Amino acid sequence: MSDPRQSDLDFDEIDLAILERVETDFDVSLETLASELDVSKSAVHYRLNKFKENGVIEGITADVDPLALGLEMVAITDVSVTHETGYSEDVGEELIALKGVDQVYYTMGDVDFVVISRVQSRDQLNDLIDRIIAIESVNETSSKFVMQEFKNDRGISANLTDEAREIVLGNE
C-alpha cells in the first residue's frame, strides 16, 4: 500500500463497518453504532477519532441536492491542453477553481482532462466553456450532455471490491 495514511493504520472488519455506516449517515449516534456492531461506545469514538486524525474521514458535509438549486444540466467536457512542465497541476487547479465545475480528472489517452460541470442553462454552460477556453494552455474542448444520472448510494468503503477489501484489511 503506497498511501502514507494507510501505512499507519491497520483496518479491521469493525473499522470498515463503521466507515460504511457513517458514510451513509454521519448523524448516527455512537450508541447506535456501538449497538449495531456489538462494541463499546468508547471503541467507536476512538476509531472515529483515529479516522479523522489520519485523514480517512476528511470532513463532515451536507449532501445538497443539485436539482433543488436548479442545476439540472450536467456536462462532461474533454479538455486538451499544451503540454508544458507542470501543466497537469497548473491547468487542473485552474479548471477546478471555475464556478460551475464540479469535478476535474487528469487523464491519460486522447484528452488531458475530463471536467464534470453542473449549470442551470445552456447560456451558463456556454459561459463556462468560454472560461475554460480562456485558460492559457487549453487548446480544445468537446462536451457531452448527460441525459440521465444514475446515483450510487454506496459510500467509498461499501463500494470496495472483494479484492480491494482484502488489501485494506491486510489479507492480500
Side-chain angles (χ1 to χ4, degrees):
M1 290 183 271
S2 61
D3 190 323
R5 289 176 294 191
Q6 286 188 339
S7 64
D8 295 339
L9 298 172
D10 292 320
F11 289 97
D12 61 20
E13 290 288 346
I14 292 175
D15 289 327
L16 289 180
I18 290 171
L19 289 172
E20 287 176 24
R21 186 65 163 86
V22 298
E23 273 191 301
T24 58
D25 179 12
F26 198 82
D27 285 335
V28 65
S29 70
L30 292 176
E31 292 84 5
T32 301
L33 271 173
S35 174
E36 289 176 359
L37 300 173
D38 197 29
V39 295
S40 71
K41 189 170 95 171
S42 61
V44 172
H45 186 261
Y46 168 80
R47 288 172 189 241
L48 285 170
N49 282 338
K50 177 180 73 169
F51 296 150
K52 290 175 191 173
E53 290 167 6
N54 287 285
V56 176
I57 294 177
E58 295 178 332
I60 302 167
T61 62
D63 294 329
V64 176
D65 180 0
L67 300 179
L69 301 176
L71 299 170
E72 297 180 14
M73 182 176 268
V74 178
I76 302 168
T77 304
D78 295 335
V79 180
S80 297
V81 302
T82 302
H83 297 187
E84 299 171 357
T85 303
Y87 80 93
S88 62
E89 187 74 23
D90 295 340
V91 175
E93 291 297 327
E94 287 186 66
L95 289 168
I96 199 66
L98 296 174
K99 296 224 183 217
V101 170
D102 190 38
Q103 300 170 47
V104 174
Y105 299 96
Y106 170 57
T107 63
M108 300 298 286
D110 295 340
V111 298
D112 299 300
F113 294 90
V114 174
V115 176
I116 312 296
S117 55
R118 284 189 170 276
V119 294
Q120 297 167 323
S121 68
R122 287 188 304 233
D123 288 340
Q124 289 175 7
L125 183 60
N126 283 333
D127 178 59
L128 178 58
I129 297 299
D130 286 344
R131 288 183 283 133
I132 290 173
I133 291 170
I135 295 173
E136 188 175 329
S137 298
V138 172
N139 295 327
E140 185 177 329
T141 66
S142 174
S143 295
K144 301 167 218 43
F145 300 96
V146 173
M147 300 303 291
Q148 182 178 0
E149 288 183 71
F150 298 89
K151 295 284 186 182
N152 176 355
D153 291 333
R154 296 182 307 262
I156 300 295
S157 53
N159 203 31
L160 290 171
T161 63
D162 291 341
E163 180 182 4
R165 187 177 194 85
E166 290 302 311
I167 291 170
V168 168
L169 293 172
N171 300 332
E172 34 189 304

